[in-house]
Amino acid sequence: FAEPRRRRRVAYDRPTINVAALWHIENDSGPLPLARGTTFFKVDPATNLIVEAYEYPVSSFKSGTSGLNLLSIVSKLLDDNRRWFPFWVWAFYVYFVFFSDGILPGKDLLHADAKTWSEVRDLSSSFLFIAPAMKFPTAAKLHPVLEGLFNGVLAWSFLFAGFLSDERSGVGPYGRDSRYYERMARNQEELLDSGVVLVPPVSTTKSNLLPLVPTIVGMQFFASGFLLPYLFSRTNERMPADVSLYDGPRRIRPLYKEELDRPAAVLGEWRGLGIVLGCLGLYAIYWGFAGRAGADFGPPIWVSDKRMLDFMKILDKDRVAATLVVNLWLLGIFQGWLIDDDWKRRGRSLEEETFLRNVAKFFPFFGLAAYLIFRPRFPSDRGSFDYDRFELDRERGRRRRNGRF
């Protein structure tokens, strides 16, 4: 609320009663925006006349939420020095890509000409290679290497949908039905017949300052421009409260699939996500090397270097092409930042089975696609969860880590 406006104040010594009123202004179409507030009155009980009034209209500017979000980001940056790296990279990225003059080729965002916007529109028409591969007459004939880079960035960005379990409302895929609180209480820990108490590896609820679904959508337009703020502002995985209802040794189990929200359970855990996007990445490479072979763009790259020489000329003067290359470079650097937390959610130790995680971290694009295909699955529910087999798999992983088979 804004500062109060005092309507009237007079010296009044007799007893009064306090009255508060919520109000708004409306017309025939309904309540008007920002035309509401609260007024507090002092009323003479003998005459029912108002002797004093204070009005609190709703302010048109609310800094509360934005201020708290800013403080949250600052707190996370101060608590975890690793976050400064994506923060500064994002700051330089925004400056170099959108506002710099002379660092990257072409004109900055404020001085972009019609040719630049036409190029962006034509690239959008080549989404997933549907129009150029089907040879639609409306398909724009851009350089195939440029189209391959564009669709490669889109596919790489969408691979991060495999980490939708990074945020969990606690509702699960069922919604907040009549058994919601029962499941919440039951899933915190489980007592086995052997006396072992199973607990989740991380808290069953987790929210991030920037939701992941809108971030992935935004990455289809400005890949690193949305990914990097998510990385330095997200909430790290935390252990559940160390309070047990049962006596006995506590053991870690993976999150259950029922503890994930529906997008994470359906799309994020779909093995086909890595397969489909991996194939799209392979096709993007093929399209750049051999797509539209002919007089305009030259033969495939293994026959002649004409198309690569032509693309280097484009790259030397085109801001859009340079931005795609920068995005590929940054996606390669940061593609592994969510791997370890994803591994923890699956009840696995960071000391075991490092090979798959290292492939995902250090092998660009295809390593991340392979991780989404071969990583351990979340068990569907406690009824199908075999704890003994889970522990056996973990022990095998520790032995492979130590070189003992």
Side-chain angles (χ1 to χ4, degrees):
F1 287 97
E3 290 294 326
R5 293 202 294 262
R6 186 174 302 175
R7 294 303 188 192
R8 181 184 178 190
R9 183 174 180 83
V10 296
Y12 203 82
D13 297 331
R14 288 187 294 182
T16 60
I17 58 175
N18 298 323
V19 178
L22 295 174
W23 55 267
H24 68 271
I25 301 174
E26 62 180 41
N27 56 19
D28 294 338
S29 300
L32 299 177
L34 303 177
R36 57 192 177 92
T38 304
T39 304
F40 296 90
F41 303 98
K42 287 187 176 182
V43 179
D44 185 343
T47 62
N48 289 332
L49 296 178
I50 298 173
V51 297
E52 196 168 340
Y54 298 89
E55 185 177 89
Y56 292 82
V58 172
S59 173
S60 59
F61 175 76
K62 296 182 176 64
S63 60
T65 301
S66 58
L68 290 175
N69 290 341
L70 180 60
L71 289 175
S72 176
I73 293 176
V74 172
S75 175
K76 291 173 180 177
L77 289 171
L78 295 177
D79 291 340
D80 186 357
N81 291 331
R82 290 196 321 150
R83 297 176 185 267
W84 286 106
F85 182 46
F87 173 80
W88 286 116
V89 171
W90 173 73
F92 286 120
Y93 170 86
V94 171
Y95 172 71
F96 289 152
V97 169
F98 299 112
F99 303 109
S100 67
D101 184 14
I103 299 177
L104 291 181
K107 297 180 180 179
D108 61 77
L109 179 66
L110 302 178
H111 300 89
D113 52 20
K115 182 180 178 181
T116 300
W117 297 115
S118 177
E119 182 182 13
V120 172
R121 182 199 62 207
D122 292 342
L123 278 174
S124 300
S125 69
S126 70
F127 179 71
L128 298 181
F129 298 109
I130 295 175
M134 300 300 293
K135 297 182 179 180
F136 290 160
T138 57
K141 291 186 177 181
L142 296 174
H143 197 284
V145 176
L146 187 62
E147 292 177 330
L149 284 176
F150 173 74
N151 284 280
V153 169
L154 295 184
W156 204 336
S157 299
F158 203 74
L159 279 174
F160 285 86
F163 300 109
L164 287 173
S165 59
D166 192 49
E167 51 189 10
R168 302 172 297 279
S169 65
V171 175
Y174 306 104
R176 196 180 294 271
D177 59 14
S178 59
R179 299 186 60 196
Y180 165 67
Y181 294 103
E182 175 188 344
R183 287 197 305 272
M184 284 288 291
R186 184 190 65 179
N187 286 341
Q188 295 303 312
E189 56 184 24
E190 177 185 1
L191 180 64
L192 300 182
D193 294 337
S194 61
V196 172
V197 180
L198 292 185
V199 296
V202 293
S203 174
T204 54
T205 60
K206 178 176 179 288
S207 61
N208 298 308
L209 191 61
L210 300 176
L212 186 53
V213 172
T215 297
I216 294 173
V217 173
M219 289 174 67
Q220 304 303 304
F221 301 92
F222 303 105
S224 301
F226 281 86
L227 174 63
L228 296 174
Y230 179 82
L231 294 182
F232 67 71
S233 66
R234 64 181 287 269
T235 304
N236 289 333
E237 291 287 3
R238 61 189 187 277
M239 293 295 292
D242 190 14
V243 178
S244 179
L245 300 176
Y246 306 104
D247 294 327
R250 292 163 62 89
R251 297 291 185 268
I252 296 296
R253 52 89 171 166
L255 287 175
Y256 293 129
K257 196 172 183 179
E258 284 73 15
E259 294 172 328
L260 307 180
D261 293 345
R262 186 174 296 276
V266 175
L267 178 62
E269 294 304 307
W270 180 46
R271 290 183 185 271
L273 182 67
I275 298 174
V276 171
L277 294 177
C279 292
L280 181 59
L282 284 173
Y283 190 78
I285 295 174
Y286 163 77
W287 187 262
F289 285 174
R292 290 207 183 98
D296 291 337
F297 304 109
I301 192 174
W302 51 83
V303 176
S304 171
D305 60 354
K306 178 181 183 304
R307 67 172 54 213
M308 292 307 299
L309 292 176
D310 290 344
F311 176 71
M312 294 305 295
K313 294 178 182 178
I314 295 175
L315 190 62
D316 188 53
K317 59 182 180 180
D318 189 356
R319 175 66 63 101
V320 175
T323 300
L324 291 174
V325 173
V326 170
N327 277 313
L328 285 177
W329 181 61
L330 293 179
L331 287 172
I333 292 175
F334 291 100
Q335 77 168 19
W337 274 58
L338 300 176
I339 298 294
D340 287 346
D341 274 356
D342 184 71
W343 198 251
K344 291 178 185 177
R345 292 191 287 271
R346 298 166 198 277
R348 303 302 178 112
S349 169
L350 297 182
E351 300 300 323
E352 61 182 281
E353 301 182 36
T354 58
F355 175 75
L356 181 60
R357 289 185 292 118
N358 287 336
V359 168
K361 291 178 181 179
F362 304 116
F363 195 76
F365 184 80
F366 295 104
L368 184 56
Y371 176 81
L372 299 184
I373 298 171
F374 297 109
R375 65 186 176 180
R377 302 290 99 182
F378 292 112
S380 61
D381 56 37
R382 68 179 59 232
S384 65
F385 177 54
D386 188 343
Y387 175 72
D388 294 332
R389 182 176 179 180
F390 173 71
E391 276 298 301
L392 181 61
D393 290 342
R394 292 191 64 185
E395 181 61 29
R396 289 173 179 170
R398 284 189 286 266
R399 289 181 179 180
R400 284 195 292 269
R401 165 73 174 174
N402 297 327
R404 301 193 305 270
F405 298 91

